[in-house]
Amino acid sequence: LTVSESATCSVDYVRRAPIASNHTMTHVLNYALREVLVNRPANEGKTSNVDVDQKGSLVDETKSRFDFSWNAALTPEQMKDVEALCVERIEKAVPVDAYIAPLDDAQKIGALRAVFGEKYPDPVRVVAVTPSPIPEILSNPQDATWNQYSIEFCGGTHLTNTKEAEAFALLSEEGIAKGIRRVVFVTKDKAKEAMAAADAFETKLTAAQAIEGEALEKEVKSLSAELDSLVISAVKKNEFRAIVQTLTKKAIAWKKERIAGMTDEIKAGAIAAGEASEGNKVVYRFDFGVEGKLAKSITQAFSKKIKDKALMLISADEDADKFLVMAVAAKGLDVDCKAWVTAACDGTGGKGGGKKDSCQFTVPGVSHIDGVIEKANKF
């Protein structure tokens, strides 16, 4: 630019609309956090030595990020209450008023939320998310009624009514420094997208609760991965995660029951392999996971039946991408199980231990199994 040159300035109102929505709801969130974390507990006689104070924020057209002082992670119930209070203010269509007032007069407002250490101009712009106009608030600044609403000094762009935010979703909450927490939320279309994604996932969860057996095991794995990547309300994500955990326990219980029912089959297979093999060593694979107790019962049954051969039992857990290698030798048999397993697992990153008559390793990467079996047979 040069002196005397003309310039045309314009506002991108399409971009400004979601910024205004996120900004106004940042004020509402600030109020909601203090209401849920400080005021409500205080009303029940529970006092806190930490107050909720703004420590930073970033507002753009896609989201709002708000940093505040607090000494612990918010509980799922606190998250739920904060989000519910913000949604409630949108549903109640609360007017948003802005007014330029003398600084001394504005600072007398009892419900005022100001950033600690910030220097404000005189006069100052007051923004209130309240059904009462700001001049009325200034006429009776200590009225406890104002404690129910958000009142702040602010020069930024805002909505004229909370209903214009349309929707609200609290996406995350985390610690960023000692005593400082950070929350991220979205409004308008972004919040609606998050709500739609949550509804779609909930439909899948409901369907999964009717699934049994191996199909459930596969579905739970898929749902867990999908849930981790979903951009949805953190409140909904907490609820969904609890349901997925319940389904996971159900799948694990089924798997354990299935494996327990297969124990006799595995024992018989190992013994048959021993009877059919030559030499004093047998390598037998049957995938039942990495259950050490089950593997021990199988090797004990083998040793009782076949006393002239050592057994190396190999079992994979495809989901965990690891496998178990266990070797046992009957008393008096000239086979060093520890040397055998160590040699077979060499170069795989497997870890374990044992002694001459018994040894056990757990090896990462199911892709190593064929190599382990080959080296075990050559030992």
Side-chain angles (χ1 to χ4, degrees):
L1 295 175
T2 60
V3 176
S4 299
E5 185 177 2
S6 296
T8 301
C9 298
S10 63
V11 176
D12 185 346
Y13 287 101
V14 173
R15 179 174 178 268
R16 174 179 276 196
I19 293 176
S21 176
N22 290 339
H23 193 184
T24 294
M25 292 310 297
T26 296
H27 284 219
V28 175
L29 173 74
N30 190 6
Y31 159 78
L33 286 167
R34 192 166 196 274
E35 178 65 17
V36 170
L37 300 179
V38 179
N39 293 344
R40 290 180 183 179
N43 292 337
E44 297 173 359
K46 303 173 184 177
T47 58
S48 171
N49 58 359
V50 181
D51 202 355
V52 173
D53 288 313
Q54 180 176 340
K55 294 298 181 180
S57 69
L58 182 150
V59 179
D60 61 25
E61 68 272 27
T62 63
K63 67 182 181 305
S64 178
R65 189 182 73 201
F66 186 77
D67 302 339
F68 62 99
S69 57
W70 194 244
N71 58 0
L74 271 63
T75 66
E77 193 62 31
Q78 289 170 335
M79 292 278 286
K80 185 176 181 178
D81 289 346
V82 168
E83 184 176 74
L85 187 48
C86 292
V87 170
E88 176 193 82
R89 291 303 157 101
I90 293 174
E91 293 175 345
K92 285 187 174 181
V94 182
V96 182
D97 191 21
Y99 186 81
I100 304 295
L103 183 59
D104 285 345
D105 292 344
Q107 288 177 327
K108 294 175 183 176
I109 300 173
L112 178 70
R113 302 285 291 150
V115 178
F116 179 77
E118 186 80 12
K119 291 185 178 180
Y120 294 99
D122 188 9
V124 67
R125 185 170 183 255
V126 183
V127 174
V129 184
T130 167
S132 301
I134 293 174
E136 181 180 338
I137 296 173
L138 290 168
S139 68
N140 191 10
Q142 294 300 312
D143 192 328
T145 302
W146 318 137
N147 292 332
Q148 303 174 49
Y149 301 101
S150 165
I151 305 173
E152 297 189 31
F153 293 160
C154 183
T157 183
H158 281 279
L159 304 175
T160 59
N161 191 292
T162 55
K163 68 181 180 182
E164 296 165 18
E166 300 176 8
F168 181 95
L170 190 58
L171 300 184
S172 64
E173 188 273 342
E174 62 180 342
I176 60 169
K178 186 177 181 180
I180 306 294
R181 309 298 300 178
R182 170 174 289 173
V183 291
V184 175
F185 71 84
V186 289
T187 64
K188 295 178 84 67
D189 290 344
K190 292 290 184 182
K192 292 176 184 177
E193 290 170 8
M195 293 163 67
D199 289 343
F201 187 81
E202 189 167 19
T203 299
K204 293 181 182 180
L205 265 187
T206 301
Q209 292 177 68
I211 300 175
E212 301 286 344
E214 188 174 355
L216 176 62
E217 189 178 11
K218 292 179 179 178
E219 185 65 10
V220 165
K221 185 177 180 182
S222 173
L223 289 171
S224 296
E226 182 179 351
L227 181 57
D228 287 341
S229 63
L230 276 182
V231 180
I232 61 173
S233 161
V235 174
K236 281 290 186 182
K237 186 168 280 193
N238 285 335
E239 293 173 358
F240 293 160
R241 190 161 278 127
I243 296 173
V244 170
Q245 287 174 349
T246 299
L247 292 175
T248 300
K249 290 178 182 178
K250 182 180 177 183
I252 291 173
W254 169 83
K255 190 173 183 178
K256 286 183 176 180
E257 185 177 338
R258 178 177 68 89
I259 290 172
M262 295 166 57
T263 302
D264 290 341
E265 177 188 349
I266 303 170
K267 289 177 180 178
I271 292 169
E275 291 173 340
S277 68
E278 297 179 356
N280 64 350
K281 295 187 292 297
V282 180
V283 179
Y284 179 67
R285 176 182 177 182
F286 194 111
D287 294 340
F288 53 83
V290 290
E291 295 287 336
K293 289 184 179 179
L294 177 57
K296 187 175 181 179
S297 71
I298 294 166
T299 56
Q300 286 176 339
F302 179 91
S303 296
K304 286 180 181 179
K305 184 72 175 179
I306 300 178
K307 299 184 181 299
D308 61 343
K309 295 173 184 176
L311 170 68
M312 179 179 287
L313 179 64
I314 297 176
S315 172
D317 185 333
E318 297 279 354
D319 292 337
D321 194 29
K322 59 185 177 180
F323 60 98
L324 173 75
V325 180
M326 179 180 286
V328 296
K331 191 174 182 179
L333 191 61
D334 188 23
V335 176
D336 188 332
C337 292
K338 185 174 183 180
W340 189 20
V341 173
T342 301
C345 296
D346 184 45
T348 64
K351 294 181 179 180
K355 46 191 177 179
K356 184 175 180 179
D357 62 350
S358 66
C359 183
Q360 177 180 329
F361 269 45
T362 300
V363 183
V366 174
S367 61
H368 291 302
I369 281 188
D370 290 341
V372 169
I373 292 174
E374 183 180 355
K375 285 184 280 188
N377 282 324
K378 290 180 178 179
F379 183 80

